[in-house]
Amino acid sequence: MNVEQVRDAYASVAHLYIDLFGAAHQVPAEDLSLIGRHLTIKPGAVLDLGCGPGHITGYLRSLGVDATGIDLVPEFIAHAKATHPDGTYRLGSMKNLDAGDGSIAGILAYYSLIHLPPQDLDGVLAEFRRVMAPAGTLVVGFVHGDDVAAFDHKVVTAYRWPVDEFSARLARAGFTEVERLHRPADGTQRPQATIAAVLGGR
């Protein structure tokens, strides 16, 4: 799995994805609340990595956050710019962020890490740490499972993680978990997890 494969897979279903998931009210309310609690950082820049249609970036901006959406998929960025013209959206990859060391107050990676092969996760978290200001906040959403394993995502291969193991990977990268949410499978959705963590602890 490489960046181009993920980009092309999402580009091929971009319009359907936007219809299904492209508005803030389609995000589970408890996740949206957690994101707001931990990433309402003022002043300070926040990156929404894998922002998709830009709906959560727009939500953060509605709370007064200096949020920028970044995504691989041109169709998502075009939609985000058209739908949220007061926002900042650009093409980019989380593996190589266009940001200076220690310059970012917060990062949201909401279901955008799930397509990373497990062996690539530590490197991406290290890149997050590089750009993060001291005591900066990271919020991640991912698919929970009993073991680290690939599964047949509707768009392109993705990976599930046990929540405790994902938290341990965050700790290895220098982030301390401060809150987690877990939603069990409900017949239509796989088990989901969201973690908020701060760089270096509190």
Side-chain angles (χ1 to χ4, degrees):
M1 183 68 57
N2 59 42
V3 168
E4 290 76 18
Q5 288 174 307
V6 173
R7 179 199 62 205
D8 292 348
Y10 274 93
S12 71
V13 296
H15 295 297
L16 176 61
Y17 187 95
I18 289 165
D19 288 343
L20 292 174
F21 306 111
H25 72 265
Q26 293 164 311
V27 178
E30 62 268 34
D31 279 10
L32 209 59
S33 178
L34 183 148
I35 290 165
R37 282 197 302 278
H38 291 281
L39 291 178
T40 308
I41 300 167
K42 295 179 281 189
V46 172
L47 299 180
D48 180 4
L49 301 178
C51 68
H55 50 304
I56 303 182
T57 317
Y59 166 73
L60 288 170
R61 291 185 65 83
S62 76
L63 300 177
V65 179
D66 179 18
T68 295
I70 298 174
D71 204 278
L72 294 169
V73 181
E75 290 84 352
F76 286 159
I77 294 299
H79 174 86
K81 288 179 175 180
T83 307
H84 309 282
D86 61 334
T88 301
Y89 297 90
R90 63 176 186 261
L91 290 168
S93 169
M94 67 180 67
K95 291 186 174 183
N96 185 21
L97 295 171
D98 183 17
D101 295 358
S103 63
I104 301 301
I107 289 175
L108 174 63
Y110 190 69
Y111 294 89
S112 54
L113 296 172
I114 64 172
H115 301 297
L116 282 176
Q119 66 269 19
D120 292 351
L121 179 63
D122 289 346
V124 169
L125 293 178
E127 178 69 350
F128 290 1
R129 178 173 180 167
R130 179 188 70 79
V131 303
M132 190 82 78
T137 302
L138 170 64
V139 176
V140 296
F142 56 98
V143 177
H144 165 71
D146 293 333
D147 53 4
V148 180
F151 66 90
D152 290 330
H153 187 271
K154 290 181 180 179
V155 179
V156 65
T157 300
Y159 298 86
R160 67 189 186 206
W161 286 83
V163 181
D164 287 341
E165 184 160 352
F166 202 101
S167 183
R169 291 293 189 100
L170 293 175
R172 185 188 304 176
F175 294 94
T176 300
E177 179 184 331
V178 293
E179 186 177 358
R180 72 170 62 174
L181 293 174
H182 177 252
R183 292 192 306 280
D186 63 4
T188 61
Q189 295 284 341
R190 294 179 174 88
Q192 314 284 314
T194 307
I195 293 177
V198 295
L199 183 59
R202 286 181 171 167

